[in-house]
Amino acid sequence: MRVTFPHMGDTWIGVKAMLEYLDVEVLMPPPCTKKTMVLGSEHAPEFACMPLKLNLGNYIEASELGANTIMMTGGCGPCRLGYYAQVQDTILQDLGYSYKMVVLEPPEKHITELFSKIRYITGNNSWWKVIKGIHFGYSKIKMVDELNKKACWARPREINRGDTDRALESAKQKIINVEYTKDLSAVHQEVLEIIDQVPVDKDRDVIKIGIVGEIFTLLEPFINFDIERRLGYMGAEVDRSLNLSEWINDHLFLSINKKMRSCKESRMASPPYLNHNVGGHGQETIGSTVLYARRNFDGVIQLLPFTCMPEIVAQTILPGVSNELSIPVLTLIMDEHSGEAGTVTRLEAFMDLLSRKKQKKEVLA
Amino acid sequence: MHETVGIPRALLFYEYYPFWKTFFDYLGIKTIISPNTNQKILEEGVKNCVDEACLPIKLATGHVMYLASRADYIFVPRIVSLAPREYICPKFMGFPDMVRQCVPSGTRLIDTNINLYRHRGEEYRCYQELGKYFVKNPFKIRTAYQKSVKKQEDYCSLLKKGLFPEQAMKAVDRHNVKNKGYNPGGPVIAVIGHSYNLFDRHISMDLIKVLQKKGVNVVTAENLPEETMRSETSILPKRLFWTLGQKMLGAAFHYMKQPEISGIIYVVSFACGPDSMVGEIIERYIKYENTPFLKLTLDEHTGEAGVITRIEAFLDMVYWKAG
Ligand code: SF4
Ligand code: SF4
């Protein structure tokens, strides 16, 4: 059994660590590229949402490297993610790839269904070891999230362009290399130091932007044209409304960690604009925008894949929120045809707008 | 007190109108229905929606805008779920909040949740809540609900007899069933699509009439019992959690195996989320059945001429296959 799973930003760092901790052989798809996109969109339904297409590209590329088992998450509606696996499976079969798909999702009938799927992947490991493996992977994800957050703060303030990203890369590599749980906390200290040592100008005036939207477009730099880094270089401190570690805490660990930011908070902030869950992260998109406005952010950017249903609901409602709370919002829709140049131009224009607005506010104050 | 409730002729109108009408009637509330979709309604809808919204949502918005200046209330229920552990579409769940953005301020929207996700029995509670907008007496609401359920059953049984919503809505009140133009000896084609696409003549370009004029007998998913469609989809590797998708897939699976069905036309909205998945499954299964198949993707930019040409080519193939 050679297990692969789809890419979504830095997720692989944690998942790979967890599986290897349990002695499962992992074969990562190569990082997403144009080729992945082309492969995926060629074989996927035209109006499927982008994550489905990129996943499919990942599977095809990983199969060519020898992977034969796919591990992925599912769901039970209303969004399409819950049916990704079944559609991807028929497509892969038609194309002649022989894959076994293991879909981790809330079980149809009984919790034992989920257990037996985990067993299938983890083999003879004891449950205790499985739990330790999950903890090991999760710790890495938490560290990476923490680093990314610090990098978002440092980027617009760095003295030498590129220092932050160099530090971030070497710190991430250190996390990737950790093999034993006992080494985690030492490495944690080490990587924090690396990123904290980037020379910055603390007093520099920066624009603060919150990023909201669909999780895949938020987390996968290939699809969002590396938006965090770009905005950072344009002088913006970026806050991502949703991190993988928070998502896992909310959805898989049932919010065990009470101190972590939770989607409950943003969902509660979404009425009166959006009064019901609409699947995906639609309600979080509205709620987070409200929260950013309250925290005096300068602007919000919404990211979504073309045809994404929950985000189209949110997109319809956002202009009203933006008006009422006077926070500028830019919506960027990502699909296989979005061009990098066009996106950059729109980001630059948005940055201009935000800085003019900020200056005006300061003059008035 | 003569307050009026506007009911948009859109979305689930074609499935539930007899129910809703009976309910409001019994409570003594006058209803106004928006007219058949016209250019004006379409334009209003397009203007008030983001480009990315699908055509049915744009049209529904247009219908709501039409009613905004004409009715005291507009009935835009938040339809979350119509069957246990199933949904319709995220856009149905957000629709009342979407239109709230564009209706003139002060417009009163009735956005009762209809949510049968846990249990079909929840329906009664939803309608109690709806009734409370207008009357205090829960017994009166209960009777209204019971009458509506009865009416809906009559309506559905007319559909099962082969009528289409428009005819059945008339027949259900007059009790004389007149069947649609049946052409003995003509080929039978199954036209499958969401009711708000098929039976809105503006969206579908009157597809059913066009086919009938060409001597084709048309059947749709509406003509099949729910149980048939549900049992057909049990061959799927995983239960489908979209009620409309379930219906489309069940109908397609059923009709593609019937020898008297000469072809299947599948009508979808441009960029429809659930149908991108459901359509893929239908297409992959239908390949093995060898039934002539045509997929029509519709949006506000679809040209009528192009659609007619494709239908004609499809019919040629159907006739050619029949020899
Ligand atoms: S949230 Fe959007 S992108 Fe994700 S499955 Fe749903 S429709 Fe697709
Ligand atoms: S099911 Fe499809 S056509 Fe209907 S509202 Fe949802 S996206 Fe639009």
Side-chain angles (χ1 to χ4, degrees):
Chain A
M1 185 172 65
R2 287 178 301 274
V3 178
T4 194
F5 52 89
H7 271 298
M8 182 166 81
D10 292 326
T11 313
W12 67 274
I13 297 177
V15 182
K16 184 161 183 276
M18 170 188 81
L19 290 173
E20 286 179 346
Y21 186 94
L22 299 170
D23 303 315
V24 177
E25 194 184 340
V26 179
L27 243 170
M28 287 306 301
C32 297
T33 58
K34 272 258 141 49
K35 183 172 157 240
T36 321
M37 188 69 172
V38 170
L39 277 175
S41 16
E42 190 181 333
H43 300 295
E46 184 184 1
F47 296 123
C49 34
M50 166 109 74
L52 185 146
K53 297 181 182 176
L54 268 182
N55 289 175
L56 193 62
N58 285 154
Y59 301 151
I60 294 175
E61 288 184 308
S63 167
E64 275 147 24
L65 298 177
N68 59 15
T69 305
I70 295 170
M71 188 178 96
M72 65 174 298
T73 52
C76 39
C79 223
R80 278 178 273 185
L81 181 63
Y83 228 76
Y84 269 24
Q86 288 67 29
V87 168
Q88 289 166 337
D89 196 25
T90 44
I91 297 174
L92 288 168
Q93 277 179 24
D94 267 14
L95 290 173
Y97 292 98
S98 54
Y99 257 128
K100 162 91 185 158
M101 280 214 170
V102 183
V103 190
L104 304 177
E105 61 189 342
E108 272 279 290
K109 297 201 179 68
H110 202 267
I111 188 76
T112 48
E113 289 171 41
L114 181 59
F115 289 159
S116 71
K117 286 177 184 168
I118 298 177
R119 264 273 157 267
Y120 183 87
I121 298 277
T122 57
N124 291 328
N125 286 291
S126 68
W127 283 108
W128 176 237
K129 187 147 187 222
V130 172
I131 291 171
K132 286 204 324 207
I134 294 174
H135 176 257
F136 182 63
Y138 184 62
S139 306
K140 287 197 176 188
I141 288 179
K142 254 189 355 198
M143 278 192 226
V144 171
D145 277 348
E146 189 181 1
L147 285 179
N148 279 333
K149 211 172 163 81
K150 280 183 172 285
C152 280
W153 181 87
R155 238 178 243 124
R157 296 175 172 91
E158 65 190 3
I159 310 280
N160 311 305
R161 166 64 44 95
D163 274 1
T164 310
D165 284 312
R166 275 185 290 275
L168 182 63
E169 278 322 306
S170 79
K172 271 191 199 165
Q173 199 53 52
K174 286 207 174 354
I175 296 177
I176 294 168
N177 292 343
V178 178
E179 280 183 55
Y180 306 104
T181 317
K182 64 174 172 42
D183 299 334
L184 280 171
S185 66
V187 171
H188 189 193
Q189 286 314 316
E190 197 185 337
V191 294
L192 288 184
E193 268 164 39
I194 296 182
I195 201 108
D196 285 340
Q197 271 164 11
V198 172
V200 290
D201 170 3
K202 279 201 183 61
D203 304 317
R204 195 176 287 170
D205 215 7
V206 300
I207 301 274
K208 284 181 132 188
I209 296 183
I211 305 211
V212 300
E214 186 276 332
I215 187 166
F216 187 85
T217 30
L218 240 52
L219 299 190
E220 178 54 58
F222 169 73
I223 220 57
N224 64 31
F225 299 112
D226 217 351
I227 192 166
E228 286 177 17
R229 188 167 306 180
R230 271 179 212 275
L231 286 171
Y233 290 165
M234 292 178 194
E237 182 188 335
V238 175
D239 187 70
R240 206 200 273 154
S241 59
L242 204 140
N243 286 318
L244 192 63
S245 49
E246 295 162 357
W247 185 88
I248 294 176
N249 187 45
D250 271 340
H251 296 269
L252 302 181
F253 298 167
L254 309 170
S255 315
I256 283 185
N257 184 346
K258 301 279 181 235
K259 273 183 266 161
M260 211 173 241
R261 177 171 67 174
S262 157
C263 64
K264 287 201 194 79
E265 209 184 323
S266 55
R267 287 190 176 176
M268 291 219 314
S270 80
Y273 308 103
L274 180 52
N275 298 298
H276 200 280
N277 164 33
V278 291
H281 298 93
Q283 222 185 355
E284 282 94 324
T285 294
I286 299 292
S288 302
T289 306
V290 172
L291 295 177
Y292 283 131
R294 285 192 199 144
R295 284 165 60 194
N296 282 322
F297 269 58
D298 297 294
V300 166
I301 297 179
Q302 182 203 19
L303 296 178
L304 65 145
F306 180 57
T307 78
C308 172
M309 306 176 282
E311 294 301 328
I312 290 177
V313 174
Q315 185 196 357
T316 312
I317 296 170
L318 272 178
V321 181
S322 160
N323 259 338
E324 216 164 286
L325 305 178
S326 57
I327 182 160
V329 176
L330 171 71
T331 292
L332 292 177
I333 298 163
M334 304 301 185
D335 73 357
E336 54 264 49
H337 313 295
S338 343
E340 181 166 348
T343 309
V344 172
T345 316
R346 296 190 59 196
L347 288 180
E348 281 167 351
F350 190 61
M351 282 298 287
D352 275 353
L353 173 98
L354 297 188
S355 29
R356 262 182 284 127
K357 204 170 162 235
K358 194 177 169 117
Q359 276 165 9
K360 239 206 247 151
K361 243 201 294 197
E362 273 155 14
V363 172
L364 290 175
Chain B
M1 190 184 70
H2 281 290
E3 285 185 310
T4 54
V5 171
I7 303 182
R9 194 186 289 270
L11 302 181
L12 294 189
F13 172 86
Y14 300 93
E15 321 230 350
Y16 281 97
Y17 175 66
F19 188 110
W20 294 334
K21 166 89 171 135
T22 312
F23 189 79
F24 287 121
D25 275 357
Y26 188 79
L27 297 183
I29 296 143
K30 218 172 144 252
T31 47
I32 303 177
I33 315 165
S34 53
N36 282 324
T37 304
N38 53 40
Q39 197 57 32
K40 182 96 202 321
I41 288 178
L42 172 67
E43 278 163 20
E44 257 324 275
V46 170
K47 194 176 83 195
N48 285 295
C49 283
V50 294
D51 284 348
E52 288 70 23
C54 53
L55 180 56
I57 289 291
K58 288 178 181 158
L59 280 189
T61 306
H63 281 272
V64 169
M65 295 304 278
Y66 173 92
L67 292 167
S69 54
R70 293 171 170 89
D72 299 315
Y73 291 90
I74 305 176
F75 183 50
V76 278
R78 189 189 305 278
I79 298 181
V80 177
S81 163
L82 292 174
R85 312 198 39 223
E86 290 178 13
Y87 295 98
I88 302 293
C89 167
K91 291 178 198 166
F92 275 65
M93 298 161 89
F95 186 65
D97 296 314
M98 292 162 88
V99 289
R100 192 169 290 117
Q101 291 298 323
C102 60
V103 291
S105 65
T107 308
R108 289 184 290 183
L109 299 178
I110 302 181
D111 62 350
T112 318
N113 286 0
I114 309 274
N115 187 351
L116 317 188
Y117 190 83
R118 280 172 217 277
H119 199 291
R120 278 189 199 264
E122 295 278 309
E123 193 182 52
Y124 172 60
R125 215 181 36 74
C126 300
Y127 282 94
Q128 271 292 346
E129 212 175 285
L130 172 60
K132 279 198 204 111
Y133 272 88
F134 305 99
V135 295
K136 292 217 176 62
N137 182 350
F139 299 105
K140 186 157 187 195
I141 302 176
R142 187 172 66 189
T143 317
Y145 173 73
Q146 286 161 345
K147 283 190 183 301
S148 311
V149 170
K150 176 77 191 34
K151 180 70 92 183
Q152 185 71 14
E153 280 166 8
D154 294 346
Y155 175 65
C156 288
S157 67
L158 287 173
L159 294 176
K160 305 284 110 74
K161 283 190 186 136
L163 265 65
F164 294 129
E166 207 179 329
Q167 305 159 309
M169 279 176 197
K170 284 185 195 141
V172 79
D173 287 325
R174 282 199 269 101
H175 305 290
N176 63 341
V177 183
K178 225 179 34 204
N179 215 338
K180 54 174 201 258
Y182 181 71
N183 172 26
V188 188
I189 303 241
V191 181
I192 293 171
H194 298 181
S195 61
Y196 47 79
N197 283 331
L198 286 192
F199 303 111
D200 185 304
R201 291 195 228 133
H202 204 84
I203 304 191
S204 72
M205 301 170 184
D206 224 354
L207 175 65
I208 294 179
K209 276 265 163 55
V210 168
L211 287 169
Q212 284 173 340
K213 278 208 188 108
K214 292 185 187 294
V216 171
N217 295 307
V218 177
V219 290
T220 68
E222 280 65 32
N223 304 139
L224 291 177
E226 193 180 329
E227 308 80 64
T228 309
M229 294 184 271
R230 285 189 184 276
S231 71
E232 289 285 353
T233 55
S234 60
I235 58 163
L236 291 174
K238 177 182 177 181
R239 209 175 50 88
L240 202 62
F241 45 72
W242 296 300
T243 306
L244 300 182
Q246 179 92 245
K247 193 169 159 183
M248 302 301 95
L249 209 52
F253 282 1
H254 174 79
Y255 285 132
M256 71 175 124
K257 288 182 303 201
Q258 309 302 317
E260 69 274 16
I261 300 288
S262 317
I264 296 185
I265 301 181
Y266 178 46
V267 178
V268 285
S269 307
F270 181 85
C272 167
D275 273 0
S276 67
M277 311 288 274
V278 173
E280 182 73 12
I281 303 173
I282 294 183
E283 281 182 78
R284 282 183 193 264
Y285 275 86
I286 215 159
K287 272 199 305 216
Y288 306 112
E289 292 290 339
N290 214 1
T291 314
F293 179 75
L294 171 69
K295 180 163 132 192
L296 288 179
T297 305
L298 304 175
D299 73 356
E300 62 270 35
H301 310 296
T302 312
E304 190 162 352
V307 171
I308 301 284
T309 318
R310 293 188 59 202
I311 292 174
E312 280 167 353
F314 174 72
L315 288 180
D316 284 345
M317 183 165 73
V318 168
Y319 288 123
W320 175 79
K321 257 200 94 197

